[in-house]
Amino acid sequence: MVERQSPEPLSPLEPEFHVGSHGNFEHGVEIILTETRPGSIVQLAAWPGEEKKLIAAIRTVTGLALPDGAGGGLSDGVKSVFGFAPGKFTVADEAEGLAMAFAKVVTPAIGTVTDLSHGRTAIRIAGPKAEWVLAKFFAIDFALPAFPVGAGRSTTHHDVFAQIQRTSSDQFDIYVFRSFARSFWKALCHASEEVGYEVQ
């Protein structure tokens, strides 16, 4: 008799994803952590001199008018886009099929489209101490003037590559490799303990 194996968990965080309040929350919860699970995560790269055409293609597909230049970005709560290097952009959408939509408008002469939907995990950190917790991990100025709403950054914490977008004044979405997601999640929870955090 063949033993039936259980299906693979949908989230790499599942064994460590514990809903509820944790840490020192006696005086309130100052951090909210969650996994956003977008339907699509796509990376776009323009060939030299084709950046403006790629930005136009992003607007066509998402409806978001991306500012020119690395680091600029926008989020409307459903779709998000930000530049993380010259001519390179990360785009996320709650719906599936984003890579196919881009493949129709980003020709090989403009650049490349890479579907990262199954290779990345999206973690959201929000709350009045979000900047403070993230500063424990990354040597980045998270203050609003230096890291405005919509903007994105590409960085690492030890060997964990991370792309970070500020999606509101006290909220950040972090995209990490799926294989590192559980380890990064545990570290993020530990770093949030002293101010109190809630997993939703």
Side-chain angles (χ1 to χ4, degrees):
M1 182 174 165
V2 177
E3 189 175 315
R4 178 179 282 178
Q5 294 183 354
S6 60
E8 181 184 349
L10 294 176
S11 168
L13 308 182
E14 192 171 297
E16 300 296 333
F17 194 90
H18 306 295
V19 174
S21 298
H22 307 276
N24 182 23
F25 59 89
E26 294 173 12
H27 303 291
V29 170
E30 298 198 75
I31 292 292
I32 305 293
L33 297 176
T34 191
E35 181 186 8
T36 62
R37 296 192 188 194
S40 300
I41 303 171
V42 175
Q43 181 175 298
L44 306 172
W47 302 123
E50 301 297 322
E51 293 86 359
K52 290 193 184 305
K53 289 181 183 176
L54 185 60
I55 289 171
I58 291 169
R59 184 173 187 170
T60 299
V61 172
T62 66
L64 299 174
L66 185 67
D68 199 355
L74 290 167
S75 177
D76 65 5
V78 176
K79 298 182 180 83
S80 298
V81 58
F82 62 94
F84 64 89
K88 295 185 178 182
F89 305 90
T90 295
V91 190
D93 190 346
E94 286 187 2
E96 296 181 359
L98 193 61
M100 291 180 63
F102 274 116
K104 294 174 183 176
V105 296
V106 178
T107 66
I110 294 173
T112 62
V113 179
T114 306
D115 189 353
L116 303 177
S117 304
H118 300 291
R120 298 288 189 274
T121 297
I123 296 169
R124 176 168 291 162
I125 179 171
K129 291 290 189 179
E131 290 179 9
W132 183 81
V133 170
L134 289 176
K136 292 182 175 185
F137 291 88
F138 306 108
I140 291 175
D141 186 350
F142 287 98
L144 262 170
F147 198 153
V149 174
R153 303 288 184 266
S154 177
T155 185
T156 60
H157 171 66
H158 294 292
D159 292 327
V160 180
F161 175 70
Q163 293 178 323
I164 307 167
Q165 183 180 29
R166 182 179 221 132
T167 48
S168 75
S169 60
D170 64 353
Q171 178 176 286
F172 298 85
D173 288 349
I174 308 167
Y175 301 90
V176 296
F177 287 112
R178 186 177 175 90
S179 55
F180 288 110
R182 189 181 308 167
S183 173
F184 182 75
W185 174 263
K186 288 172 70 175
L188 198 58
C189 289
H190 180 69
S192 302
E193 284 181 350
E194 62 185 295
V195 293
Y197 71 97
E198 184 173 330
V199 175
Q200 296 181 345

